[in-house]
């Protein structure tokens, strides 16, 4: 009789390969334990390397263009006003748990980004950090609704995210991160043992929040690095804490359970911000009717559309939009001039320097070049300023193209293109082999293979 195989996926948002595989490898015995007997490697993220769309790209095995969303915020149409948030309702395709549910497997997912509102599965789905409340039974963050009470009985008030994580109050931030993570692990440790499941996946957001909040204390090469014994080891200590929690989970698993530890992208220091709309104004692509005197979001500025060819949006990467005749309501760029303009912008972005005049190494992507299909309303260009060492700042009123303050609150790190993947199958004894060339979309078909479920033909990744 064949044994019943199971898969557990431990997701650590933003976990960085340099930290897990190199810098702290000797201090993370449980990561090391699964690495040394399993396989591990860097996991290339999607473009853009951000939480939404990355986790859905991983679990649907489809690129963001095919999924039709390019970040949390997307244009809902080609008007200037309609912005939409990409929650689970935006995901129009199956993710791994949908396929497994239909195949009769029992699934549990906890906190996987873009699972709010939760959808029916053959098991339990606990919503992600996008869940607005854990206390409103009219807008439940779990499927089935009864899981809300069960969670509350186990951990009290459950936290889907750290409220106000962009704060200067680092004591508060650390305390909140630990509270959130301890509750999450308490819940998943209980359910891993008590519930019946074939596929169990949870995603911890604390790794991302602690990177953004405390990277300047961790990285001596950070421009804002501060010696502060209270915080210099905070990120390392948190990884060690996570390692201990993972160890407790590993000790409860049977020999039929394959474990994956994955992240959706990595982390790197942030050198500063490029005020993309200030730059577009300076270069004559964007014209405002009145210049704001205080920091103002671009969608609150009075844009003179009759003279504007290009505008942009901020975030960890820049989204660049062209004001195209016949597409945007007051478009002025002739459709046959779009390609020339995109090339011109790409060349200028690639030539961007820091304030000292040193080229920062900016990369520009065209959606149709990096995606198999392009759905929804994509940006006309996707820009990684300085290979993501610089973030994109969308607000206007800085009086400069450069800023060293974040317009959305303190943030010390940007995302990096590579996250982590570790796989451990107890009987396989794969000897700690390093895997190379893996991409997010390779994870879902690999999970299906382990559970003997056929891989749908439209998955874009390859099982490893
Ligand atoms: Zn993320």
């Amino acid at each position: 009789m064949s044994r019943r195989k199971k898969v557990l996926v431990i997701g650590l948002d933003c976990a960085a390969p340099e930290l897990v595989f190199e810098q702290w490898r000797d201090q993370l015995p449980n990561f090391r334990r699964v690495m040394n007997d399993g396989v591990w490697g860097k996991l290339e993220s999607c473009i853009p390397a951000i939480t939404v769309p990355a986790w859905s790209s991983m679990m649907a095995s489809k690129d963001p263009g095919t999924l039709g969303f390019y970040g949390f915020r997307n244009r809902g149409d080609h008007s200037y006003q309609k912005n939409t948030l990409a929650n689970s309702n935006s995901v129009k395709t199956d993710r791994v748990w949908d396929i497994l549910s239909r195949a009769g497997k029992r699934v549990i997912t906890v906190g996987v980004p873009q699972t709010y509102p939760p959808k029916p599965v053959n098991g339990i789905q606990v919503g992600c950090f996008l869940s607005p409340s854990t206390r409103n039974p009219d807008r439940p963050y779990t499927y089935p609704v009864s899981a809300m009470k069960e969670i509350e009985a186990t951990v009290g008030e459950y936290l889907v995210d750290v409220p106000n994580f962009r704060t200067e109050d680092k004591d508060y931030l650390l305390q909140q991160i630990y509270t959130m993570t301890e509750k999450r692990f308490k819940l998943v440790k209980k359910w891993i043992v008590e519930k019946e499941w074939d596929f169990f996946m949870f995603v911890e957001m604390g790794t991302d929040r602690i990177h953004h909040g405390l990277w300047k204390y961790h990285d001596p090469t950070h421009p804002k690095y501060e010696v502060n014994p209270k915080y210099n080891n905070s990120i390392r200590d948190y990884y060690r804490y996570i390692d201990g929690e993972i160890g407790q989970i590993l000790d409860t698993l049977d020999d039929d359970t394959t474990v994956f530890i994955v992240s959706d992208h990595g982390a790197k220091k942030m050198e500063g911000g490029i005020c993309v709309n200030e730059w577009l104004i300076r270069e004559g692509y964007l014209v405002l009717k009145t210049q704001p005197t205080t920091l103002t979001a671009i969608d609150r500025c009075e844009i003179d559309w009759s003279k504007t060819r290009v505008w942009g949006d901020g975030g960890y990467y820049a989204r660049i939009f062209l004001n195209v005749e016949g597409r945007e309501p007051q478009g002025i760029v002739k459709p046959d001039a779009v390609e020339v303009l995109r090339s011109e912008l790409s060349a200028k972005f690639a030539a961007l320097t820091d304030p000292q005049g040193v080229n920062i190494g900016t990369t520009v992507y065209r959606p149709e070049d990096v995606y198999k299909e392009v759905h929804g309303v994509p940006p006309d260009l996707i820009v990684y300023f300085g290979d993501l060492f610089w973030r994109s700042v969308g607000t206007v009123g800085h009086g400069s193209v450069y800023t060293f303050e974040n317009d959305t609150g303190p943030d010390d790190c940007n995302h990096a293109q590579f996250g982590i993947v570790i796989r451990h199958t107890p009987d396989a004894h794969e000897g700690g082999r390093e895997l190379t060339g893996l991409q997010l979309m390779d994870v879902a078909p690999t999970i299906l293979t382990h559970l003997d479920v056929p891989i749908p033909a439209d998955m874009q990744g390859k099982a490893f």
Side-chain angles (χ1 to χ4, degrees):
M1 202 182 126
S2 72
R3 287 151 66 187
R4 181 177 166 186
K5 292 191 215 162
K6 294 189 281 184
V7 167
L8 169 67
V9 180
I10 299 172
L12 302 172
D13 198 287
C14 201
E18 300 80 5
L19 304 184
V20 175
F21 299 156
E22 295 166 31
Q23 192 172 352
W24 299 328
R25 188 163 173 164
D26 293 341
Q27 302 179 53
L28 303 172
N30 295 296
F31 280 97
R32 210 170 58 232
R33 170 174 154 197
V34 281
M35 281 171 70
N36 286 352
D37 192 45
V39 289
W40 58 277
K42 287 183 175 180
L43 186 64
E44 186 174 9
S45 190
C46 54
I47 296 167
I50 50 175
T51 305
V52 171
W55 286 104
S56 288
S57 181
M58 188 195 297
M59 288 296 128
S61 194
K62 292 185 174 64
D63 65 42
T66 304
L67 293 170
F69 41 85
Y70 306 88
F72 294 107
R73 288 170 302 133
N74 294 271
R75 291 177 76 186
D77 55 31
H78 281 102
S79 71
Y80 302 122
Q81 295 87 14
K82 194 175 178 201
N83 280 307
T84 58
L85 275 180
N87 63 18
S88 71
N89 293 328
S90 303
V91 186
K92 305 294 186 196
T93 184
D94 285 336
R95 284 175 284 180
V96 122
W97 49 82
D98 301 311
I99 296 161
L100 293 172
S101 289
R102 277 203 304 274
K105 304 286 185 187
R106 298 284 299 177
V107 306
I108 298 177
T109 75
V110 177
V112 185
Q114 286 187 292
T115 54
Y116 180 84
K119 304 292 180 189
V121 290
N122 183 29
I124 304 172
Q125 182 154 82
V126 178
C128 65
F129 72 106
L130 297 169
S131 309
S133 165
T134 57
R135 295 239 156 125
N136 182 355
D138 296 330
R139 295 182 69 190
Y141 79 107
T142 65
Y143 174 89
V145 185
S146 59
M148 286 175 64
K149 278 220 161 61
E150 200 181 332
I151 294 169
E152 197 171 347
T154 305
V155 301
E157 189 188 355
Y158 179 78
L159 294 173
V160 293
D161 200 355
V162 175
N164 310 314
F165 63 89
R166 292 214 169 93
T167 171
E168 286 298 358
D169 187 346
K170 304 304 178 189
D171 288 340
Y172 159 86
L173 178 64
L174 281 170
Q175 184 242 317
Q176 288 288 307
I177 289 172
Y178 274 96
T179 301
M180 169 178 74
T181 308
E182 283 164 5
K183 286 176 188 240
R184 185 137 34 243
F185 274 97
K186 186 174 179 188
L187 178 69
V188 300
K189 283 185 293 189
K190 185 169 190 283
W191 282 5
I192 283 170
V193 173
E194 292 179 4
K195 301 278 185 195
E196 193 201 332
W197 52 272
D198 301 287
F199 174 77
F200 195 121
M201 175 172 184
F202 69 95
V203 174
E204 177 52 55
M205 290 306 292
T207 26
D208 181 83
R209 301 319 186 211
I210 201 168
H211 288 162
H212 286 293
L214 288 136
W215 199 266
K216 73 174 174 189
Y217 298 103
H218 151 74
D219 181 354
T221 71
H222 193 287
K224 293 183 179 175
Y225 178 70
E226 260 179 54
V227 174
N228 185 331
K230 202 170 164 193
Y231 304 127
N232 287 136
N233 291 319
S234 294
I235 296 180
R236 185 203 65 186
D237 293 346
Y238 180 74
Y239 271 74
R240 287 165 68 163
Y241 159 69
I242 294 276
D243 182 81
E245 292 281 19
I246 289 174
Q248 289 180 40
I249 289 174
L250 295 175
D251 289 341
T252 66
L253 299 178
D254 59 32
D255 282 348
D256 299 325
T257 304
T258 294
V259 177
F260 292 81
I261 304 176
V262 289
S263 64
D264 55 336
H265 49 76
K268 56 166 63 175
K269 66 178 170 181
M270 195 189 294
E271 296 279 0
I274 301 290
C275 304
V276 61
N277 287 311
E278 298 278 8
W279 183 87
L280 289 166
I281 291 167
R282 193 188 75 186
E283 298 292 316
Y285 295 108
L286 168 61
V287 178
L288 302 185
K289 288 179 180 164
T290 50
Q291 186 68 27
T293 50
T294 55
L295 293 192
T296 307
I298 188 65
D299 54 11
R300 292 180 179 271
C301 292
E302 260 201 287
I303 296 174
D304 185 346
W305 292 111
S306 70
K307 297 182 180 135
T308 289
R309 288 181 288 160
V310 186
W311 79 102
D313 211 338
Y316 297 122
Y317 73 105
R319 286 167 293 160
I320 302 296
F321 301 105
L322 272 49
N323 191 27
V324 180
E325 190 182 292
R327 192 183 76 175
E328 272 71 18
Q330 299 171 62
I332 61 164
V333 177
K334 302 276 183 215
D336 62 5
V338 164
E339 283 318 308
V340 174
L341 182 52
R342 290 208 299 177
S343 299
E344 179 183 307
L345 287 164
S346 300
K348 286 190 180 182
F349 284 131
L352 270 177
T353 68
D354 67 13
Q356 285 74 43
V358 178
N359 187 297
I360 60 173
T362 293
T363 314
V364 185
Y365 302 98
R366 295 166 191 245
E368 65 273 28
D369 292 342
V370 290
Y371 305 132
K372 195 172 173 199
E373 296 170 29
V374 181
H375 298 298
V377 184
D380 291 298
L381 293 172
I382 292 167
V383 184
Y384 280 14
F385 288 124
D387 192 27
L388 295 177
F389 282 113
W390 293 73
R391 70 179 271 124
S392 167
V393 175
T395 45
V396 178
H398 297 269
S400 166
V401 167
Y402 306 101
T403 179
F404 298 93
E405 303 306 322
N406 193 346
D407 56 350
T408 53
D411 193 342
D412 302 337
C413 93
N414 207 346
H415 291 175
Q417 195 62 28
F418 287 87
I420 64 169
V421 59
I422 303 169
R423 181 186 69 203
H424 182 247
T425 303
D427 289 346
H429 303 301
E430 295 180 273
R433 185 162 48 89
E434 182 176 357
L435 301 169
T436 56
L438 297 184
Q439 207 271 354
L440 291 183
M441 296 188 291
D442 299 332
V443 175
T446 307
I447 291 168
L448 293 178
T449 302
H450 274 266
L451 292 170
D452 296 322
V453 171
I455 300 167
D458 62 351
M459 283 196 164
Q460 294 171 17
K462 290 187 297 291
F464 59 87

